[in-house]
Amino acid sequence: MSDEDSNLYEELLAGRVSRGAFIRRGAAVGLSAPTLAAILAACGGSSTGSSGTNGTTTATQVGTTVTTPAPTGELDQLKWGLFYEPGPLDWIYCYNYEENTVVTNITESLMRLTPELLIEPGLAESHSAPDNLTNVYTIRQGVKFHDGTPMTTADVVFSMKRHLNPASYWAFAYFNVKSIEQTGTWEVTVHMKRPDVIFPGLMATPAGGVGPQAYVTAKGKNYGTAKAGPVGTGPFKFTSWNPGSNITISRNDSYWDTAHAPKTKSVVFSFIPEESTMTTGLLSGEIDGAYHTPYSGLSQLRSSSVGTLYLGKSMLFTVIYVSTTTGPLANSNVLKALLMATDRQALASTVYSGAANPLPSTMTPLDQWGYAQSQAAAAYHKLPPPVLDLEGAKKLMQGVDTSGTFVIATRASFQRYINIASIVQDAGKKLGLNIQIKPVNPNDYGNLFFSDSARKGIDLFISENYADIPEPLETLYITVTPQPANALTYNYNDYNNPTVTSALRKAVAEADPSKRASLIIAAQSVLADQPATLPLASPAVPLFLNKRATGAPASFCYLYYPWARDVGAP
Amino acid sequence: MGFGAFLARRLAALAATLLATSFIVYGSVYLAPGSPLTAVTGGRPLPPSTLRAISHQYGFDKPFLTRYWDWLTGVVHGDFGQSVVSHQDVSSLITPRIGTTVFLIVYAALLILLFGVALGLVSSLRKGHTDTVILATTSVGTAIPSFVAAIALIWIFALKLGWLPALGSGSGFADQLRHLTMPAVALALAGVAYVARLTRAAANDELRREHVETARGRGLPESYVIRRHVLRNALIPITTAAGLTIAGLIAGTVVVENAFALNGLGSFLVQAVGQKDVPVVQAICLILVAAFIVVNTVVDILYAFIDPRIGLGGGER
């Protein structure tokens, strides 16, 4: 591509030109029709029909890319960058970005998240729910673990039962599970204590991971560490782990899913914690690619000639949790006003270097909807748009006692959060709210999510959170309804609106997607009027790929989809 | 004092320092807010039941002194504990990283000794332009922090010229040498400048001394005078400066290892502190303190060799 072509291409990726304008301008600069089609296909998005956001792509929408151009040849070695050295690669402890990025290629789950962010069968051939308290899984036959042993139904039951131990990071997925039994040669039945439509989706995450019972038991607490690498059924098998340097996985030549046989012989994951070092490594070609490349280096990566930056479809959302139950911030009108006065468009374009969409008044971006998408999209576009409305906000603040100071916590030395906090502080100032920014050391910051005492004296805190599965209920339900003492929750301000609670409780038990969507949408519209949190933006997944590699899915699926199997030489 | 008694005294001091250090480090990491559990989930919450189960597994629910005692008795038996984050024995995590850090420090120390002393001597012996240029360059050099040097070096040699790798430690001696050249230069830069300036000053001092004038007056060859009378006497301040600088490199590795994504102890320490991974922080701090003390002891021994009037242990004449 010439310079002008590649500029145009980047603009398309960044969402600055619409697909129509791209075709017109592309034709004008002399790109052939097949080239245009190939680029558009590579960008994924609405024309593929599989992204599920038909008709919702506006001129400012970024992060619609699903895949990258398909490879034509084999690759000997792919050098991949990780932001930190993963903890143990035992699937029950894989609950964070880089652990999942690696283990998803080794240990597969009953279900699978696709690049389009939908759920499809994985090691289970099929899933059915004869009633809302029963989930039946038919296990795939003829699948072998990397150690050569065949995968049996007993392995599946053993693997699922490991999460009944509360020490599993995914134990929360099994909160409503009563029993897990083998009910046929190739059948596993999960009985629930109460209806839970989120559970089947979570089987696409490591909560549904399957490992060999004999090997996992024999290795005990060493399983998944450098001493006894993980063994699964995936397209890659664990080869080596040099603590502090890298992890190598290599192609599984007897991978069961022959239609997706891996095209890369080995993948070497290097650990690069410094943002600038990661960007340099990608620019110098020492690293072939990385997911979630630093937003701080996006402009450099965008203009680089060594590879391409993609902004992938994601389930990420940036939100400010409210952790006070008294004063003006406990008043939903004040939260609504604060949101209206917060320049979410500026936030998306500056804080995220344009790699995010401003969110209307909802915590669940459209890409979290794996079903009832047109219904969800219609409702989404009726929500108050993310535009600055200072006059409206001031009206809402009339008669509100704004005395006192309020504290927003940011992770110390984390520039993105500091910038977000300043934008919110600025919005507060215009409404007469005195918001102070409090930098909290990174460890203590994580603790805000864990303990009541850590949140003492803090009224607002920022989070870049994500849904694991395309089910808006997954994060919404536990954020805006009261939860039992031992359950996972993000409800830090004891939000309890009777209409929302009742609609979402019904939704969690509603198997019919369309009816479930109606219930969630009803709750969503109440939440837009009486917010529980301050939803700000939905960041895209930045993926950088060197010219020598292609095919990696660009979307958020890289956490729970064996993405490396799709990578090869261009 | 005899060499044996000197060593015994030093060893006892080392053990006492390590014990005190271990308690202080353990205490400060314990008192620092946060929990290692937040690191393993990247800040996403876990339900209370899971938090309790993991806390119990790692003994976080035990009182401070009990935990410290458990750790100390483990160390006495050669068990440094297990990393909370990676579930592995601390010794197996640290061993592969020591090599990189030692290589980096030795490489940087050699650069400092070689270039620092050479530049200083040249500067002192060649007055005029050479001296001015070296003086100006070293003035700038002492003011450049290693992370700035790292960024500049990476930009020039990795991105623009493509001569040297920007990250990683390499494997095998030649490859390691290539990978660690930029980090060692970044680490050594300020030290080279400092030692060069000190060497210049010390040599200038000696050159003005009467015994040097006398030696020259007696017609001894210039090279002999420099070696025997100037350098020999200037070595004491040079050794002191170089020793302190090299001991200081141990702390400097933290910054440089991070900037170049090296698998050394320094970057591991930063990571472990961030994750509140107490057993790892403890073990690395103890190694760094021990190394610092050992380097200083070596400098003390060197004094005695350079100038026999100085007894072992420093200051006893």
Side-chain angles (χ1 to χ4, degrees), chain A residues 454-486:
Chain A
R455 289 190 296 272
K456 226 173 168 185
I458 305 240
D459 303 297
L460 303 165
F461 61 102
I462 307 162
S463 167
E464 281 171 358
N465 208 334
Y466 55 88
D468 296 292
I469 51 170
E471 168 56 80
L473 274 180
E474 191 209 351
T475 51
L476 187 62
Y477 181 60
I478 56 175
T479 307
V480 300
T481 67
Q483 292 297 310
N486 255 342

Side-chain angles (χ1 to χ4, degrees), chain A residues 85 96 166 221 244-245 277 286 443, chain B residues 42 50 82 97 166 259 263 274:
Chain A
E85 177 164 9
N96 198 356
K221 70 182 179 72
S245 300
T277 311
E286 285 166 71
N443 243 305
Chain B
T50 300
Q82 215 192 30
R97 287 169 164 100
N263 63 333

Side-chain angles (χ1 to χ4, degrees), chain A residues 85 88 93 95-96 166 169 221 226-227 244-245 274 277 280-281 286 441 443-444 446-447 449-450 466 468 485-486 488 490, chain B residues 33 35 38 40-45 47-48 50-52 54 82 85 87-89 97 154 165-167 258-259 263 274:
Chain A
E85 177 164 9
Y93 300 123
Y95 186 55
N96 198 356
Y169 298 167
K221 70 182 179 72
K227 264 189 208 157
S245 300
E274 275 289 318
T277 311
T280 310
E286 285 166 71
N441 90 55
N443 243 305
D444 213 12
N447 233 16
F449 295 89
F450 283 18
Y466 55 88
D468 296 292
N486 255 342
L488 186 63
Y490 292 100
Chain B
S35 144
T38 65
V40 299
T41 67
R44 294 213 292 166
T50 300
L51 290 179
R52 274 197 303 274
I54 303 171
Q82 215 192 30
V85 175
H87 297 199
Q88 291 192 69
D89 291 338
R97 287 169 164 100
I154 290 175
L167 50 95
N258 247 349
N263 63 333

Side-chain angles (χ1 to χ4, degrees), chain A residues 363-374:
Chain A
M363 272 178 286
T364 51
L366 271 181
D367 288 338
Q368 285 187 14
W369 288 81
Y371 56 95
Q373 284 143 351
S374 49

Side-chain angles (χ1 to χ4, degrees), chain B residues 252-266:
Chain B
T253 57
V254 172
V255 173
V256 171
E257 285 176 3
N258 247 349
F260 289 94
L262 305 181
N263 63 333
L265 289 183

Side-chain angles (χ1 to χ4, degrees), chain B residues 2-316:
Chain B
F3 192 68
F6 167 77
L7 260 190
R9 227 177 74 175
R10 277 303 166 104
L11 279 176
L14 177 65
T17 313
L18 288 181
L19 187 69
T21 308
S22 79
F23 187 77
I24 293 169
V25 172
Y26 209 100
S28 52
V29 180
Y30 176 83
L31 287 176
S35 144
L37 302 181
T38 65
V40 299
T41 67
R44 294 213 292 166
L46 288 170
S49 46
T50 300
L51 290 179
R52 274 197 303 274
I54 303 171
S55 295
H56 184 70
Q57 196 175 320
Y58 285 97
F60 296 155
D61 44 3
K62 287 188 199 162
F64 169 69
L65 283 178
T66 317
R67 284 169 63 185
Y68 178 70
W69 183 250
D70 286 351
W71 176 83
L72 196 63
T73 45
V75 169
V76 173
H77 293 98
D79 174 14
F80 279 85
Q82 215 192 30
S83 156
V84 179
V85 175
S86 76
H87 297 199
Q88 291 192 69
D89 291 338
V90 170
S91 49
S92 74
L93 292 171
I94 283 183
T95 320
R97 287 169 164 100
I98 287 181
T100 308
T101 301
V102 170
F103 197 121
L104 181 61
I105 290 177
V106 170
Y107 196 166
L110 287 177
L111 291 179
I112 289 176
L113 289 176
L114 215 68
F115 289 97
V117 175
L119 282 175
L121 276 181
V122 169
S123 187
S124 166
L125 298 175
R126 296 260 164 88
K127 300 285 182 234
H129 271 312
T130 318
D131 186 28
T132 318
V133 168
I134 293 178
L135 205 59
T137 321
T138 51
S139 301
V140 176
T142 44
I144 298 180
S146 52
F147 70 91
V148 174
I151 293 170
L153 288 170
I154 290 175
W155 191 77
I156 298 170
F157 293 102
L159 283 184
K160 291 292 144 192
L161 299 173
W163 290 353
L164 291 167
L167 50 95
S169 319
S171 52
F173 183 78
D175 193 35
Q176 268 193 311
L177 200 66
R178 217 170 76 81
H179 274 89
L180 294 180
T181 296
M182 273 206 288
V185 170
L187 186 60
L189 205 61
V192 168
Y194 177 63
V195 169
R197 293 176 69 87
L198 227 125
T199 305
R200 177 181 173 276
N204 278 350
D205 256 8
E206 292 303 325
L207 282 172
R208 279 195 296 269
R209 291 279 183 92
E210 265 175 31
H211 70 272
V212 174
E213 296 293 329
T214 316
R216 278 182 177 153
R218 288 169 73 188
L220 290 170
E222 186 67 11
S223 66
Y224 180 83
V225 175
I226 302 283
R227 249 185 304 125
R228 192 75 198 154
H229 294 286
V230 178
L231 199 52
R232 182 77 195 251
N233 285 317
L235 267 183
I236 290 283
I238 295 173
T239 310
T240 312
L244 281 174
T245 310
I246 291 167
L249 291 181
I250 296 171
T253 57
V254 172
V255 173
V256 171
E257 285 176 3
N258 247 349
F260 289 94
L262 305 181
N263 63 333
L265 289 183
S267 54
F268 195 32
L269 178 64
V270 172
Q271 181 195 325
V273 168
Q275 295 170 331
K276 240 194 148 196
D277 200 344
V278 184
V280 174
V281 175
Q282 279 287 60
I284 298 179
C285 284
L286 294 188
I287 289 174
L288 296 188
V289 168
F292 192 87
I293 293 173
V294 168
V295 170
N296 277 317
T297 308
V298 169
V299 170
D300 276 355
I301 294 172
L302 277 179
Y303 282 160
F305 279 102
I306 295 167
D307 186 346
R309 286 170 305 174
I310 300 177
L312 279 169
E316 291 166 41

Side-chain angles (χ1 to χ4, degrees), chain A residues 130-148:
Chain A
D131 60 63
N132 67 5
L133 288 174
T134 315
N135 286 295
V136 180
Y137 292 92
T138 306
I139 308 306
R140 202 175 284 281
Q141 301 179 34
V143 177
K144 274 190 176 150
F145 288 113
H146 300 149
D147 61 2

